[in-house]
Amino acid sequence: MSEKQFQDQKIVLIDGHSILNRAFYGLPDLTNAEGLHTNAVYGFLNILFKILDEEKPEFLTVAFDVHAPTFRHEMYEEYKGTRKPMAEELREQVPLMKDVLKAMGIRLIEKAGLEADDLIGTLSRRCEEAGMDVVVLSGDRDLLQLATKKVKIRIPKTKGGRTEVEDYLAADVKEKYQVTPQEFIDVKALMGDTSDNIPGVPSIGEKTATKIIVEYQTIENAYAHVEEIKPPRASKALKEHYDMARMSKELATINVHADFPYEVEEGRIGNLFTKEAYEWFQRLQFKNLLGKFEIQVPANAIEDRFRTVTDPAEAQAVLGRAASAKTVGIALEKNRENMLPLFSMGSEITGAAFAFSHDGKEEVVSILVGGTLTAEALLKQISALTESRAEISMFDVKQDMKNFRVCRPENVFDVHVAAYLLNPLKSSYEPNDVAREYLDLTIDGKLSEEKKRCYEAYTMYQGAAILREKLQESGMEALFDEIEMPLVFALFDMEQAGVKVEARELKAYGEELGVQIEKLETEIFELAGEEFNINSPKQLGAVLFEHLQLPHGKKTKTGYSTAADILEKLAPDYPIVSKILEYRQIAKLKSTYADGLAHFIQDDNRIYGTFHQTVTATGRISSTEPNLQNIPIRMELGRQIRKVFVPKEGFQFVDADYSQIELRILAHCSDDEALIQAYREAKDIHRTTASQVFHTPFEEVTDLQRRNAKAVNFGIVYGISSFGLSQDLSITRKEAAEYIDRYFETYPGVKKYLDGEVAFAKEHGYVTTMFGRRRPVPELSSSNFMQRSFGERVAMNSPIQGAAADIMKIAMIRVNRRLKEENLESRIVIQVHDELLVEAKNEEVEQVKAILKEEMEHAASLKVPLIADMSVGANWYEAK
DNA sequence: TTGTTCACG
DNA sequence: ACGTACGTGAACAAC
């Protein structure tokens, strides 16, 4: 190696086994489709890319021991005599790792008779002498002895799921361990290291070892002054075991003068993202990492068929052919970030891709706005296409409607919604996920925008047929066609309507809360005798349960629980606790509702929230930005906020909510005679249950008995457990179990039904609602008791909660349709699971009430009556 | 980002 | 012996 040839260039040296080991224990078990374990390889690559990104080195080499070492973790277990089975899952990833690194063209080094430590030590020394900057990556602190001014040791640590890296130059070692890297060896020689089979000197630990070396630098020098060493215990130990210390030092010293051939140039980093690497990443299903590849290896030849068109006449011709196709996949691109719904007409289309089959030939065309083709013209052409008889397949139709007002309910297929129905448990349904999962088409890598759009359109085109078939196979085609797709448009209308909010009154309400908060704060600090952040569970826990010594209840992972149910038990005895509860309540109202809602009020005094159709596991709708489904009602102070939700001038609110829809569904599905009878006779169901469960005449049921029975009824719907019920009612588990037993004696059909659902779920892996909606229950096959119990509760709850959601969706579609067909100006503005809020024109109120009642009560025909209660008011508070 | 708390059905 | 009621979303603190 010629002198200073590589001056100021940088090399990264990696301790292969050690990093692989770290990655393995830092990540949950991952396997690819073939069942290969991949977590260690995946973790290694992530750390590798992170380091390369930060260091930007010219050279890279990964060192391995020739024989896979017994991993540190296992040796420790062995030493403790509690050895666990060999981590075969890790062992099998070693050759895999090497293959992947080779595919990326990375220099590997391993030498019989030399440990990776020695290879790295020697290389780091040689490279430093060649004038290079050296970065050593290892999970092992032994390598700290290699640190110099130019050799940086980097040690990745997994901290709460994320990897952080500790960096050590020579000075950093000194700072942290009080000794130089060279002296670090001597410290270790004294203290020993069981995991590395370094004996050390008995009775000398880290503290004493460090003290001795700080004073004497080496064990040899320490031995020369052995009589002076304090404490006497250490002095004696060193005198007796000096040989051991010398031997330990030898063992602990990394050889930096090993003899093996190596040319720096061999480690030069080339293109890591080779075709071979891409294939490996695909096989191992590292889809996040595929994005790093510049080159796209086409999964098949479709990309060759992509075309880009910018000429208006040609665009017209393409869309003309599309209009006569059976199905057209469309992907639209807009210019600006999503606008507020009210002004969304301002979004401009910048391009669109279309995929379809014409005369037996597939076309995938990207049309670009610009030059002679205007946004307006393109949008017009697209509108004409959506008016044709072709089935239009898109992703997230509601969003495209907001941007461009395209599509008709009659001929549209929303891939997003279809993918959700097929598996409602996923957290996202990106077009690329759909392509990979259903079309076996991996779309990754850095692609031009046009190509991305082509792929998306192609996915929509192919996806429509494939997803439809899957929906049909799983009995959800009618649910999709008759409920979910029409609902897209009902939700769109609802979002467009928005809801009016009195901004000034909301502000006044918030200010009033602010005054109360300040007052409470002062009082709490007074009672606590100190000031602290009441919003911090950690600080609050410290004040209550440590400083003030209040009896604490259960603990959370991070400390004492300060949840309301714990504090409520203390409130009667400690005034500070009830003040805190009050503070919490009011602070929540101010931050989340008063201040939170104010953000969303537009210039027209309306709030336009988003209602999501593809979020919940059960089929319910969810609401965000803001969440309009959790506006306070239970407590009077919070309930006041509903007064700021108002209908516009000349309108009133009509609110309609289902009466106990879930219990009625339970009655229907379980076919339980007594429950059906009770509902048919329009009896007070909680009182009836109380009367039966507590063997008390109907007329003599006490309020407490009724309240308890109500909790049991709720519990049944949630998938009852005696523990849950006992918590809710503050009774013993035994008593709760008795309530449940008596409930099931009263309603044997319910017991049979719930058991049946669990059995079905165990056999098939999913449950369904009466409308065919599925929810997978993977937890049921878990070996973990907790998980499995959760699965059982889910199996009992989902068919009921899901059916209620289905029924409400049907009602919404029909109500919305009738409001429009009957040319009314009234609109649904909010849905809260079993409740619809309608902004109704004064003259239309009676008609709206009739429509709501009729459509809600007849949305499904059950064995018991379905009842919806109506109420009219000048704000949401009054209309409830 | 993750955990805790709490608002709703 | 385990440690829970079912389904959501937002604010805040702390890592």
Side-chain angles (χ1 to χ4, degrees):
Chain A
M1 189 181 304
S2 62
E3 273 302 286
K4 310 291 180 191
Q5 184 188 343
F6 299 101
Q7 186 73 45
D8 293 333
Q9 299 205 39
K10 192 186 273 184
I11 186 167
V12 168
L13 302 171
I14 298 181
D15 182 352
H17 278 120
S18 140
I19 296 298
L20 204 56
N21 192 32
R22 277 289 154 118
F24 179 76
Y25 289 107
L27 285 178
D29 190 25
L30 303 169
T31 48
N32 75 346
E34 306 161 44
L36 280 173
H37 295 272
T38 58
N39 60 333
V41 176
Y42 182 70
F44 187 109
L45 290 172
N46 269 314
I47 296 171
L48 173 66
F49 288 132
K50 183 180 153 85
I51 297 297
L52 292 183
D53 194 45
E54 288 170 9
E55 301 289 348
K56 308 216 179 334
E58 286 81 14
F59 301 95
L60 169 66
T61 291
V62 182
F64 284 97
D65 300 299
V66 172
H67 302 290
T70 318
F71 285 110
R72 176 155 300 229
H73 166 86
E74 295 162 13
M75 290 192 59
Y76 182 70
E77 297 292 349
E78 192 166 29
Y79 176 73
K80 302 275 278 195
T82 55
R83 191 161 183 264
K84 287 183 180 159
M86 183 70 92
E88 182 53 40
E89 294 88 346
L90 172 54
R91 182 139 300 176
E92 73 179 37
Q93 292 183 62
V94 174
L96 206 61
M97 186 74 248
K98 291 180 181 172
D99 285 342
V100 171
L101 293 172
K102 280 182 204 155
M104 295 168 78
I106 292 172
R107 175 76 160 94
L108 305 186
I109 184 166
E110 46 187 348
K111 287 280 170 277
L114 286 175
E115 287 182 20
D117 281 1
D118 301 321
L119 294 170
I120 288 173
T122 302
L123 287 181
S124 77
R125 180 63 62 91
R126 287 193 202 167
C127 291
E128 188 182 7
E129 282 168 0
M132 300 177 77
D133 284 321
V134 179
V135 173
V136 172
L137 183 67
S138 175
D140 190 343
R141 288 183 182 276
D142 294 351
L143 277 86
L144 289 180
Q145 61 183 271
L146 300 175
T148 69
K149 258 186 184 166
K150 300 269 278 179
V151 176
K152 180 165 70 176
I153 315 298
R154 309 201 64 183
I155 300 180
K157 311 197 77 178
T158 25
K159 240 183 166 182
R162 299 226 335 272
T163 45
E164 282 177 23
V165 185
E166 285 180 4
D167 294 344
Y168 296 92
L169 291 167
D172 304 307
V173 177
K174 178 100 185 180
E175 191 180 325
K176 174 128 187 210
Y177 295 98
Q178 302 169 58
V179 296
T180 65
Q182 187 63 44
E183 292 163 358
F184 193 78
I185 303 171
D186 294 75
V187 171
K188 203 163 158 194
L190 287 177
M191 64 187 268
D193 185 342
T194 48
S195 67
D196 262 359
N197 282 326
I198 294 172
V201 175
S203 84
I204 294 186
E206 189 184 346
K207 285 272 162 56
T208 318
T210 303
K211 218 177 101 199
I212 293 171
I213 296 303
V214 165
E215 194 162 357
Y216 302 101
Q217 289 79 48
T218 64
I219 52 170
E220 290 80 6
N221 190 38
Y223 188 64
H225 299 84
V226 72
E227 301 299 340
E228 303 158 25
I229 290 175
K230 301 230 170 73
R233 189 168 48 89
S235 169
K236 184 161 170 270
L238 180 59
K239 219 187 306 182
E240 279 173 22
H241 298 100
Y242 181 56
D243 288 350
M244 191 88 98
R246 289 293 304 271
M247 189 185 92
S248 295
K249 184 168 174 177
E250 234 167 84
L251 284 171
T253 304
I254 292 173
N255 183 0
V256 295
H257 300 296
D259 182 24
F260 59 90
Y262 177 87
E263 292 297 332
V264 173
E265 198 55 49
E266 294 164 13
R268 187 176 288 278
I269 300 173
N271 175 26
L272 301 175
F273 304 106
T274 61
K275 188 165 174 292
E276 293 74 29
Y278 188 92
E279 281 161 8
W280 268 110
F281 283 26
Q282 263 194 323
R283 177 170 166 213
L284 300 177
Q285 295 172 336
F286 298 156
K287 64 169 187 145
N288 298 354
L289 300 179
L290 287 173
K292 294 181 178 293
F293 286 76
E294 294 280 349
I295 54 152
Q296 162 67 23
V297 184
N300 56 39
I302 45 162
E303 218 179 283
D304 300 340
R305 269 175 277 159
F306 290 177
R307 278 199 301 140
T308 298
V309 168
T310 53
D311 174 67
E314 209 180 329
Q316 181 92 57
V318 170
L319 269 64
R321 288 197 295 279
S324 63
K326 182 163 165 283
T327 299
V328 186
I330 305 184
L332 304 176
E333 189 73 27
K334 69 177 185 316
N335 59 345
R336 275 166 284 172
E337 246 325 284
N338 183 27
M339 321 245 68
L340 301 161
L342 182 65
F343 310 109
S344 62
M345 293 298 274
S347 288
E348 280 224 322
I349 192 164
T350 56
F354 303 85
F356 55 92
S357 175
H358 183 261
D359 281 347
K361 211 178 79 203
E362 279 181 359
E363 284 193 56
V364 186
V365 183
S366 176
I367 297 178
L368 294 183
V369 165
T372 49
L373 180 60
T374 63
E376 208 180 15
L378 176 57
L379 206 51
K380 215 168 162 186
Q381 291 179 359
I382 294 171
S383 292
L385 173 59
T386 60
E387 291 294 325
S388 74
R389 287 176 53 197
E391 178 185 46
I392 306 297
S393 176
M394 306 211 298
F395 190 89
D396 198 351
V397 169
K398 177 154 65 72
Q399 191 57 48
D400 281 336
M401 285 286 287
K402 286 194 198 185
N403 290 324
F404 307 117
R405 308 288 160 123
V406 286
C407 294
R408 292 179 302 134
E410 293 76 20
N411 66 341
V412 71
F413 185 100
D414 192 329
V415 169
H416 187 211
V417 173
Y420 162 71
L421 282 192
L422 289 171
N423 182 2
L425 299 185
K426 302 217 312 185
S427 55
S428 95
Y429 303 88
E430 294 303 305
N432 286 359
D433 298 333
V434 173
R436 187 164 18 75
E437 196 171 338
Y438 295 105
L439 314 189
D440 246 346
L441 174 66
T442 306
I443 304 165
D444 278 297
K446 293 178 181 165
L447 295 172
S448 67
E449 289 301 313
E450 293 107 87
K451 276 199 174 169
K452 274 190 209 163
R453 264 198 315 276
C454 282
Y455 266 120
E456 186 177 327
Y458 181 76
T459 304
M460 298 310 123
Y461 158 66
Q462 291 281 353
I466 295 172
L467 294 178
R468 178 168 287 285
E469 195 184 327
K470 298 251 178 209
L471 286 169
Q472 199 199 340
E473 279 168 13
S474 40
M476 290 194 286
E477 201 177 17
L479 174 71
F480 179 77
D481 289 329
E482 287 157 36
I483 300 182
E484 295 297 335
M485 283 311 303
L487 183 72
V488 170
F489 294 85
L491 291 180
F492 171 75
D493 288 337
M494 188 163 78
E495 289 183 11
Q496 290 299 304
V499 59
K500 187 177 174 192
V501 170
E502 297 276 14
R504 276 170 44 209
E505 290 178 26
L506 182 64
K507 188 155 178 267
Y509 176 78
E511 280 163 4
E512 201 176 300
L513 296 177
V515 173
Q516 292 190 56
I517 288 169
E518 277 183 34
K519 196 169 141 238
L520 281 164
E521 207 172 46
T522 316
E523 290 171 359
I524 289 166
F525 293 159
E526 181 80 18
L527 287 165
E530 62 182 311
E531 298 200 354
F532 62 101
N533 185 348
I534 308 169
N535 287 319
S536 160
K538 196 178 162 190
Q539 292 182 39
L540 180 60
V543 169
L544 289 183
F545 304 120
E546 284 170 18
H547 307 182
L548 296 178
Q549 291 283 307
L550 303 196
H552 63 262
K554 65 185 168 192
K555 284 190 162 183
T556 62
K557 280 176 225 168
T558 49
Y560 305 103
S561 172
T562 66
D565 57 329
I566 304 283
L567 298 190
E568 267 157 22
K569 295 197 173 78
L570 299 170
D573 300 322
Y574 304 97
I576 187 172
V577 177
S578 40
K579 295 274 183 209
I580 288 166
L581 285 166
E582 201 182 345
Y583 172 91
R584 277 241 181 102
Q585 192 199 348
I586 298 173
K588 177 98 178 181
L589 289 175
K590 182 162 165 59
S591 70
T592 304
Y593 298 102
D595 300 348
L597 284 174
H599 285 148
F600 294 98
I601 303 177
Q602 303 300 317
D603 291 343
D604 62 352
N605 283 322
R606 295 181 86 84
I607 288 179
Y608 299 88
T610 304
F611 290 89
H612 299 273
Q613 198 177 346
T614 61
V615 170
T616 70
T618 52
R620 276 188 176 181
I621 285 161
S622 86
S623 162
T624 65
E625 292 184 307
N627 183 352
L628 295 169
Q629 292 181 318
N630 71 345
I631 305 300
I633 190 166
R634 292 173 191 168
M635 306 290 282
E636 181 55 30
L637 181 64
R639 191 175 193 152
Q640 293 287 331
I641 208 163
R642 293 183 170 230
K643 287 182 177 166
V644 308
F645 287 82
V646 294
K648 64 185 170 190
E649 184 74 30
F651 285 66
Q652 294 182 59
F653 274 157
V654 178
D655 188 282
D657 72 304
Y658 278 116
S659 160
Q660 296 169 345
I661 186 169
E662 291 183 341
L663 282 177
R664 289 172 196 267
I665 289 168
L666 177 66
H668 173 85
C669 292
S670 68
D671 215 4
D672 183 274
E673 250 177 78
L675 201 51
I676 288 176
Q677 179 81 3
Y679 271 120
R680 284 191 179 155
E681 290 170 13
K683 281 192 173 159
D684 174 337
I685 196 68
H686 302 314
R687 183 170 288 271
T688 304
T689 302
S691 157
Q692 300 284 339
V693 168
F694 303 115
H695 305 305
T696 306
F698 187 87
E699 307 301 332
E700 293 168 29
V701 169
T702 65
D703 282 353
L704 178 67
Q705 285 175 323
R706 186 179 180 280
R707 202 160 56 243
N708 288 349
K710 188 174 172 179
V712 177
N713 280 327
F714 266 98
I716 294 292
V717 171
Y718 290 157
I720 196 117
S721 78
S722 56
F723 192 91
L725 183 65
S726 71
Q727 286 294 299
D728 191 52
L729 290 179
S730 298
I731 56 178
T732 66
R733 236 177 112 165
K734 195 158 166 256
E735 288 170 306
E738 281 170 27
Y739 286 11
I740 294 167
D741 283 347
R742 292 214 223 114
Y743 178 94
F744 284 140
E745 281 168 27
T746 309
Y747 304 115
V750 172
K751 167 88 176 137
K752 204 174 146 201
Y753 165 72
L754 294 176
D755 288 348
E757 289 298 318
V758 172
F760 182 94
K762 283 200 165 132
E763 188 182 340
H764 297 96
Y766 65 89
V767 287
T768 71
T769 69
M770 49 190 283
F771 298 89
R773 181 187 305 278
R774 281 192 188 191
R775 170 171 182 176
V777 196
E779 297 88 353
L780 271 180
S781 54
S782 168
S783 56
N784 177 311
F785 173 83
M786 239 281 297
Q787 293 245 306
R788 213 169 45 246
S789 306
F790 174 73
E792 288 168 6
R793 294 195 293 272
V794 161
M796 295 188 258
N797 170 268
S798 293
I800 299 170
Q801 189 182 119
D806 295 339
I807 290 172
M808 178 52 109
K809 285 177 171 179
I810 294 168
M812 287 176 76
I813 294 161
R814 294 186 183 169
V815 167
N816 190 54
R817 184 184 302 152
R818 282 191 62 187
L819 291 177
K820 292 170 103 172
E821 279 175 4
E822 295 174 28
N823 293 317
L824 302 181
E825 288 176 51
S826 306
R827 290 288 176 266
I828 304 172
V829 292
I830 291 176
Q831 186 255 37
V832 197
H833 311 307
D834 66 352
E835 169 190 359
L836 291 178
L837 184 66
V838 174
E839 186 179 52
K841 200 175 185 192
N842 287 339
E843 304 88 305
E844 299 171 1
V845 165
E846 287 312 312
Q847 198 178 343
V848 165
K849 280 168 70 176
I851 291 173
L852 280 168
K853 186 132 189 104
E854 187 178 338
E855 299 303 345
M856 287 175 77
E857 295 190 345
H858 296 111
S861 108
L862 306 183
K863 293 167 191 152
V864 299
L866 202 47
I867 303 294
D869 299 317
M870 310 288 140
S871 165
V872 181
N875 56 55
W876 202 4
Y877 181 97
E878 283 182 19
K880 254 304 216 166

